[in-house]
């Protein structure tokens, strides 16, 4: 009877670890709320680039997403020239639903502006640099050019855009490594369970 209870306890422990490792992997991507509690709105005051300051404090990876919450406004995904000129005439994507989720499906630069008259010029625009996870860099040491960029670069030869500089320490890397470890541990425990 004791052996049976101990065996059930082992099975429960193994299944729990497998479940935890699965949940850990699922949390490897993040959804960022643009503008925080205020959402995607026309900036007020003297701060002409609040969204880019916010983006510079975050690190974005493929699989992450941006959540735009807005009223009587829009979100346009544009190329670099349209971003710089605040041109709304030829967006890559246009959203007007009031609650937009945009998922990053590649690395590189993404450019967002408001489609409402005067909002972009007032600072309602955003550049996001999506980085490659360290695990993905093994097979591709150099970044391909962004399809949304159209020529020209502020890169001064060191591999980093001069307005952004090198990224600070990224805490999501630790989580990714931890999820790989938990997956490997769960796999080993399943194999041990099967061999019992």
């Amino acid at each position: 009877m004791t052996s049976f209870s101990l065996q059930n306890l082992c099975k429960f422990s193994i299944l729990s670890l497998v479940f935890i490792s699965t949940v850990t992997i699922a949390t490897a991507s993040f959804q960022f709320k643009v503008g925080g509690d205020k959402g995607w709105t026309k900036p007020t005051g003297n701060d002409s680039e609040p969204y880019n300051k916010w983006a510079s404090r975050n690190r974005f990876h493929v699989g992450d997403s941006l959540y735009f919450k807005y009223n009587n406004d829009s979100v346009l995904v544009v190329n670099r020239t349209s971003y710089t000129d605040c041109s709304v005439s030829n967006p890559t994507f246009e959203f007007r639903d009031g609650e937009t989720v945009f998922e990053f499906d590649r690395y590189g630069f993404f450019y967002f502006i408001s489609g409402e008259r005067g909002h972009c010029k007032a600072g309602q625009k955003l550049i996001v640099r999506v980085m490659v996870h360290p695990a993905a860099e093994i097979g591709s040491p150099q970044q391909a050019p962004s399809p949304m960029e159209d020529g020209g670069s502020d890169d001064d030869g060191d591999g980093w855009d001069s307005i952004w500089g090198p990224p600070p320490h990224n805490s999501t890397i630790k989580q990714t490594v931890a999820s790989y470890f938990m997956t490997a541990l769960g796999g080993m425990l399943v194999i041990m369970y099967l061999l019992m």
Side-chain angles (χ1 to χ4, degrees):
M1 185 84 150
T2 306
S3 174
F4 179 72
S5 298
L6 184 58
Q7 188 177 16
N8 284 341
L9 180 62
C10 285
K11 287 179 183 178
F12 177 75
S13 298
I14 290 170
L15 292 175
S16 296
L17 284 173
V18 170
F19 175 75
I20 289 170
S21 65
T22 303
V23 170
T24 303
I25 292 170
T27 62
S29 63
F30 296 95
Q31 185 175 83
F32 296 88
K33 185 175 182 184
V34 177
D37 292 335
K38 290 173 33 178
W40 178 246
T41 61
K42 179 180 175 183
T44 57
N46 295 331
D47 194 4
S48 64
E49 293 202 17
Y51 295 104
N52 287 334
K53 287 180 183 175
W54 168 81
S56 70
R57 292 189 307 268
N58 293 290
R59 292 296 164 248
F60 306 94
H61 296 283
V62 175
D64 289 347
S65 60
L66 295 180
Y67 172 67
F68 293 87
K69 174 88 171 143
Y70 50 94
N71 292 314
N72 301 318
D73 207 331
S74 63
V75 177
L76 306 181
V77 181
V78 296
N79 63 27
R80 183 179 185 164
T81 302
S82 294
Y83 172 86
T84 303
D85 298 341
C86 287
S87 172
V88 299
S89 63
N90 193 22
T92 305
F93 298 105
E94 181 175 357
F95 305 99
R96 297 189 175 276
D97 61 358
E99 293 190 27
T100 299
V101 175
F102 184 88
E103 184 175 333
F104 299 117
D105 59 352
R106 62 170 176 81
Y107 59 95
F109 290 93
F110 289 82
Y111 302 91
F112 302 89
I113 63 173
S114 169
E116 297 303 306
R117 181 178 294 268
H119 287 210
C120 179
K121 294 274 188 200
Q124 192 177 354
K125 57 187 188 173
L126 169 67
I127 301 173
V128 173
R129 181 181 190 174
V130 178
M131 301 186 310
V132 178
H133 276 289
E137 288 181 336
I138 294 169
S140 56
Q142 294 186 1
Q143 178 174 338
S146 165
M148 289 193 186
E149 287 185 339
D150 55 336
S153 174
D154 292 335
D155 185 5
D156 57 4
D158 62 0
W160 298 104
D161 189 318
S162 61
I163 65 168
W164 291 97
H169 177 69
N170 184 358
S171 62
T172 60
I173 293 171
K174 289 181 181 177
Q175 184 177 12
T176 302
V177 171
S179 68
Y180 289 136
F181 174 76
M182 290 299 293
T183 302
L185 179 63
M188 288 187 325
L189 289 173
V190 167
I191 290 170
M192 288 173 47
Y193 172 75
L194 294 173
L195 295 176
M196 287 168 69

